[in-house]
Amino acid sequence: MSKKLVERIQNHDQRAMSELYQKYVDRLSSVCYRYVPSEDDAKDVLQNSFVKIFTSLPQFEYRSQPSFEGWMVRVVVNEALHFLREHKRLQFADIQKTNVLPIEEEKPDVDWISADELHHLISQLPDGYRTVLNLYVFENYPHKKIAELLGIKEASSASQFHCAKRLLSKRIKELMDKRR
């Protein structure tokens, strides 16, 4: 269905644009909110993402449903990163300056936490931590690629990820203690 939908959009079919929007707005919104937790800002980023998607589709070569969906997710991620950089929300600590030592910690049991609760805890992380965590965990980017995308050192990406995991683990444990 998506190949025909893409072809219809490439032929300037307004209904097809609406169909694409309706089909993917929820999925792309969740990607957007992972990076930009403010509702108003996330809506702006999502709108800009759909504008980019629709304006880029004439040059898009459809290969498969997964590649098309992956491309749209990358557009949203790139727009979110652009927004965070533009609004100077990405601040990263240099590993040499913070002296963060990697400590292996016990992983908290997250089976009892709902996806919404986990998302909420992640959304409360500082922007730099949250961004690196999302890129590493959800987008499966290696630290080298994350460093390139964010203009930081590879070691800083690894440090941000480590700090994000530690803080998230602490907050999960606090939530678990609260429920006992």
Side-chain angles (χ1 to χ4, degrees):
M1 173 176 164
S2 284
K3 183 174 184 172
K4 290 184 189 238
L5 189 60
V6 168
E7 289 170 354
R8 288 175 46 215
I9 293 169
Q10 289 172 331
N11 290 321
H12 311 291
D13 181 336
Q14 295 294 317
R15 261 197 234 140
M17 287 181 177
S18 180
E19 285 177 40
L20 181 93
Y21 179 85
Q22 293 303 318
K23 184 174 181 179
Y24 291 104
V25 68
D26 290 339
R27 175 153 189 247
L28 297 179
S29 289
S30 71
V31 171
C32 193
Y33 279 109
R34 281 199 321 251
Y35 293 90
V36 184
S38 160
E39 188 173 347
D40 289 338
D41 292 339
K43 285 179 179 178
D44 288 344
V45 170
L46 186 63
Q47 179 179 349
N48 290 341
S49 298
F50 270 106
V51 168
K52 278 243 167 92
I53 288 167
F54 290 134
T55 57
S56 300
L57 266 177
Q59 294 82 32
F60 183 78
E61 184 180 326
Y62 187 93
R63 291 189 181 99
S64 68
Q65 180 78 20
S67 71
F68 176 62
E69 290 176 4
W71 172 74
M72 288 192 300
V73 166
R74 282 191 307 279
V75 169
V76 173
V77 168
N78 288 336
E79 280 299 303
L81 295 178
H82 175 75
F83 172 86
L84 292 170
R85 274 192 298 271
E86 189 176 82
H87 290 86
K88 299 184 183 358
R89 299 235 181 117
L90 289 177
Q91 296 179 3
F92 301 99
D94 190 350
I95 194 167
Q96 286 84 13
K97 292 179 183 173
T98 60
N99 293 324
V100 175
L101 298 174
I103 300 170
E104 284 302 316
E105 294 185 4
E106 181 182 321
K107 292 180 183 176
D109 179 18
V110 294
D111 292 338
W112 58 272
I113 297 177
S114 73
D116 287 342
E117 288 173 314
L118 188 56
H119 172 75
H120 179 71
L121 291 174
I122 292 171
S123 75
Q124 292 179 327
L125 293 173
D127 291 329
Y129 290 1
R130 185 182 62 251
T131 301
V132 171
L133 180 99
N134 283 322
L135 290 169
Y136 189 82
V137 172
F138 296 106
E139 312 309 332
N140 297 315
Y141 286 158
H143 288 297
K144 183 175 183 171
K145 176 70 174 174
I146 295 169
E148 289 171 15
L149 280 170
L150 301 177
I152 59 176
K153 296 177 184 172
E154 190 173 342
S156 294
S157 174
S159 171
Q160 296 293 308
F161 178 68
H162 173 72
C163 291
K165 281 189 346 182
R166 285 178 58 189
L167 184 55
L168 186 58
S169 178
K170 178 183 173 195
R171 290 183 177 169
I172 289 170
K173 287 176 185 173
E174 288 169 357
L175 183 61
M176 195 176 351
D177 290 343
K178 222 186 249 188
R179 289 190 176 166
R180 287 185 186 162

